[in-house]
Amino acid sequence: MLDNISYFIRRALRNMRQWPVLCSAAILTMAVALATMATFFLVVINIQGLATSWSEEVQVVAYFQYPPAGNQLAPLIRKVEAFADVKQAIYITKTEALKRFEARLGDDAGLLEGVSRDLLPASLEISLKSGSHNREGVARVVAELKKDSRFDDLRFGQEWLERFENFVDLLKFVGLVLGSFFLLAALFIVSNTIKLTLYARRDELEIMALVGATKRFIQIPFLLEGALQGLASGVCALGFLTLAYKLLLQKSLQTFWLTPVGFDPIFLNGNQQLILVLCGILLGSLGSLVSLRKFVRL
Amino acid sequence: MIQLFNVTKSYGKENVALREMTVHIEKGEFTYVTGPSGAGKTTFLNMLYGACKPTRGQILINGINITRMSGRQIPYLRRKIGVVFQDYKLLNSRSVYENVAFALEAQGKKRYEVSKRVYKALKEVGLEHRLQRKPIELSGGEQQRIAIARALVVEPLILLADEPSGNLDQEVTLEIMELFKRANARGTTVLLATHDHSLYKRFPKRVLGLEDGRLIMDHQP
Ligand SMILES: Nc1ncnc2c1ncn2[C@@H]1O[C@H](COP(=O)(O)OP(=O)(O)O)[C@@H](O)[C@H]1O
Ligand SMILES: [Mg+2]
């Protein structure tokens, strides 16, 4: 048994050495397929990451007609924070609202000179829990707030939210379609490349069958070879991806104007890297298996 | 050892390669299979090692009906049969040693046993000094001797040779015939397909004559 295994490994290795062009062609094809899929995956998870950090800014602002009396404020905040969807409510006084406005005007802050300090209304800035960063969550909070007559006006960017959610849905759909397309294309290309390598060695397959090798005995070295090539291609793809990420994605994301300040670009985590390499092994052995079934006939 | 009962092989409706062939070959016999090109010699030999199945009829080898064999069992049949072809069917990217070792490795034999037996088989055909050469670098006669070593290294019950000297000159043919006769003397049943009349005149043995797929002659010397 051990003797057999070492024989199979020796055979697989020497086959690869014997056909370096075919071998590297197979590795390259698989590496390109894997890298394409992984790049796409990376783009999708980064956009989703971006989307999540955008949606963290989703909040409802409730403006007061009259600023609440000092002893009413705390109970009101407690009441609002008790809503199921609400994470936090922060009171913004008139003075603070004006200060923010001034800050935003920057050099033009002079325009506000002599303006009454009562210009802007006091408000509650209500941020939502992470599960409620969507239309329904906002709508529930707004409905509750409307019952309270102390609030004069509510702002909540409904339209923006709707578009954003549609965008994320579209992204997921496109990801699914393109992802499965890439997967099929990769399998097709890989099995054809391997078919080519088997075609180049059809004499060897024929002679093995002739001298009484069992089907399994003939197939195992080729399967092993496919798996080894898959492993190599997985590692290549990972290397390529790391490079592309460092050189392109990371820079472009950091300079992208919509990227929130606190957002760190996402790379594959350890498990996902392992999965990528395993995918390579699977792709290689599956590709071999599919084409072997056509070639090894007894 | 080999028994055929009413064996017919046809490719499509019109193309019948063998018709109702019935023949018995004893263990240890040396038999020529003769006939013009297209007579069915190759088809006959191919059926004996399971390369194709008869359309009708039964074939028994060593008492086992191989027409009922599944694809799984065919390799085990082939381990008892050595085959030699006109075009040698060697791997030119492998050394002489590896080509012969292939047949034993395919049976899962241990490395030390493989090397011992390969060396012995190559010595038998007089090529023990060519171990590491590539077949393509050698002469046609030497290449055929490698193929014969590969067929004999497994110590087969039956040796099938399909026009083994078709590409070789007279002198080399005699050398190769010598190898077949020696194998036969050790008890291997030999079937040799040829259309070279001089061969069986020179080494008279049983002759099966085929023509248009029919067995028209069965001659014992
Ligand atoms: N694979 C095949 N497909 C179709 N016809 C075949 C095939 N193999 C052999 N034949 C036909 O069977 C007949 C016998 O061929 P073969 O056994 O090769 O004869 P021989 O070896 O005596 O020259 C021929 O007419 C040939 O055309
Ligand atoms: Mg023929």
Side-chain angles (χ1 to χ4, degrees):
Chain A
M1 192 63 205
L2 222 63
D3 215 49
N4 266 352
I5 293 171
S6 85
Y7 172 75
F8 288 138
I9 293 174
R10 266 184 291 131
R11 278 277 319 276
L13 288 176
R14 76 154 304 161
N15 278 349
M16 291 201 281
R17 250 183 295 136
Q18 197 152 24
W19 303 88
V21 176
L22 283 175
C23 176
S24 15
I27 291 177
L28 209 68
T29 326
M30 287 193 280
V32 168
L34 285 172
T36 312
M37 282 200 295
T39 305
F40 192 75
F41 177 74
L42 211 56
V43 169
V44 170
I45 60 172
N46 271 287
I47 292 180
Q48 274 186 341
L50 264 184
T52 318
S53 60
W54 285 333
S55 71
E56 245 135 53
E57 291 169 17
V58 170
Q59 60 177 10
V60 177
V61 183
Y63 295 96
F64 291 101
Q65 196 166 11
Y66 307 105
N71 60 350
Q72 280 179 23
L73 184 62
L76 180 62
I77 288 179
R78 245 179 280 131
K79 177 187 157 194
V80 171
E81 285 186 339
F83 295 168
D85 298 293
V86 171
K87 188 166 84 187
Q88 202 182 18
I90 298 169
Y91 180 60
I92 308 290
T93 61
K94 287 185 174 204
T95 324
E96 215 169 321
L98 194 64
K99 247 191 239 161
R100 282 191 188 180
F101 193 40
E102 273 172 359
R104 205 177 316 164
L105 285 175
D107 289 344
D108 298 328
L111 289 173
L112 291 176
E113 250 168 64
V115 165
S116 157
R117 303 194 66 80
D118 280 350
L119 179 71
L120 297 173
S123 62
L124 268 187
E125 279 185 4
I126 302 161
S127 55
L128 306 184
K129 285 181 181 157
S130 60
S132 305
H133 286 140
N134 51 38
R135 254 182 299 159
E136 294 80 22
V138 171
R140 280 195 297 271
V141 173
V142 168
E144 284 297 321
L145 291 174
K146 272 190 177 155
K147 289 180 195 159
D148 196 315
S149 59
R150 280 171 291 186
F151 296 120
D152 180 35
D153 195 10
L154 300 166
R155 294 277 162 83
F156 45 86
Q158 178 85 2
E159 202 178 313
W160 184 84
L161 253 181
E162 236 166 82
R163 272 198 223 148
F164 171 72
E165 279 172 22
N166 288 340
F167 171 69
V168 171
D169 282 347
L170 184 72
L171 195 73
K172 281 182 184 160
F173 178 71
V174 170
L176 202 71
V177 170
L178 280 184
S180 17
F181 173 76
F182 275 135
L183 194 74
L184 279 180
L187 246 178
F188 179 77
I189 293 170
V190 165
S191 88
N192 271 300
T193 310
I194 293 174
K195 220 177 275 174
L196 209 68
T197 72
L198 289 181
Y199 184 74
R201 301 214 291 253
R202 61 197 182 286
D203 290 351
E204 190 177 325
L205 294 173
E206 186 195 341
I207 291 171
M208 283 212 274
L210 184 73
V211 295
T214 57
K215 220 170 175 166
R216 187 173 302 161
F217 189 88
I218 298 174
Q219 289 181 344
I220 285 175
F222 287 99
L223 270 183
L224 213 64
E225 195 183 330
L228 281 174
Q229 291 175 344
L231 176 71
S233 70
V235 172
C236 281
L238 193 61
F240 169 78
L241 205 65
T242 312
L243 217 67
Y245 172 77
K246 288 259 159 67
L247 294 181
L248 299 170
L249 197 65
Q250 211 169 20
K251 283 224 174 75
S252 67
L253 264 178
Q254 274 165 355
T255 53
F256 186 40
W257 59 279
L258 274 175
T259 308
V261 193
F263 180 71
D264 269 332
I266 308 165
F267 191 63
L268 304 181
N269 63 31
N271 272 345
Q272 288 163 337
Q273 295 181 18
L274 194 69
I275 286 173
L276 179 66
V277 174
L278 285 179
C279 270
I281 296 177
L282 202 71
L283 197 65
S285 0
L286 220 67
S288 296
L289 196 67
V290 168
S291 23
L292 266 172
R293 289 163 66 95
K294 297 218 170 103
F295 266 92
V296 183
R297 264 178 294 193
L298 293 173
Chain B
M1 173 65 54
I2 301 170
Q3 297 166 288
L4 275 75
F5 299 99
N6 299 317
V7 170
T8 296
K9 175 72 188 179
S10 47
Y11 298 98
K13 264 191 185 143
E14 301 291 299
N15 195 347
V16 184
L18 273 188
R19 298 167 203 266
E20 297 289 325
M21 184 157 168
T22 297
V23 70
H24 294 219
I25 294 166
E26 297 301 322
K27 183 168 168 48
E29 244 186 309
F30 192 117
T31 310
Y32 293 103
V33 181
T34 65
S37 179
K41 305 182 291 295
T42 298
T43 305
F44 173 46
L45 295 190
N46 281 351
M47 282 194 300
L48 297 182
Y49 70 95
C52 64
K53 286 204 164 179
T55 313
R56 280 191 303 278
Q58 310 296 325
I59 301 175
L60 271 63
I61 289 185
N62 220 4
I64 298 162
N65 191 337
I66 66 162
T67 40
R68 298 227 184 88
M69 255 185 191
S70 70
R72 246 170 219 290
Q73 294 168 299
I74 297 277
Y76 300 97
L77 166 71
R78 291 188 182 168
R79 292 176 187 188
K80 299 197 190 81
I81 300 176
V83 193
V84 177
F85 299 92
Q86 180 171 357
D87 58 358
Y88 324 130
K89 290 201 196 293
L90 297 171
L91 293 172
N92 286 317
S93 54
R94 303 292 178 89
S95 69
V96 170
Y97 174 90
E98 286 172 314
N99 267 280
V100 179
F102 224 55
L104 290 171
E105 285 165 355
Q107 301 190 5
K109 293 275 186 277
K110 299 249 185 297
R111 262 173 115 175
Y112 70 86
E113 188 185 348
V114 170
S115 62
K116 210 170 63 187
R117 285 173 67 175
V118 169
Y119 187 77
K120 187 167 156 249
L122 281 171
K123 196 172 166 139
E124 181 76 30
V125 301
L127 286 175
E128 74 276 16
H129 56 293
R130 294 269 198 262
L131 286 177
Q132 295 312 324
R133 299 288 288 274
K134 297 278 155 70
I136 198 111
E137 303 161 358
L138 306 179
S139 73
E142 286 173 315
Q143 291 187 46
Q144 190 60 294
R145 271 145 65 196
I146 302 167
I148 293 170
R150 183 182 65 196
L152 292 178
V153 74
V154 298
E155 292 168 5
L157 294 174
I158 301 171
L159 180 68
L160 306 175
D162 193 355
E163 318 234 12
S165 57
N167 289 338
L168 305 174
D169 59 37
Q170 188 68 30
E171 195 185 333
V172 179
T173 300
L174 295 183
E175 283 171 29
I176 284 180
M177 278 305 291
E178 203 51 50
L179 295 176
F180 289 149
K181 285 200 315 189
R182 253 191 273 159
N184 182 239
R186 286 197 303 265
T188 303
T189 309
V190 178
L191 264 85
L192 196 156
T194 180
H195 53 241
D196 182 358
H197 298 274
S198 68
L199 219 53
Y200 47 87
K201 291 214 177 83
R202 188 159 189 149
F203 307 103
K205 298 281 185 189
R206 181 182 182 187
V207 179
L208 299 176
L210 291 178
E211 201 176 292
D212 196 20
R214 258 182 268 272
L215 182 64
I216 55 159
M217 176 181 75
D218 187 349
H219 176 75
Q220 292 277 6

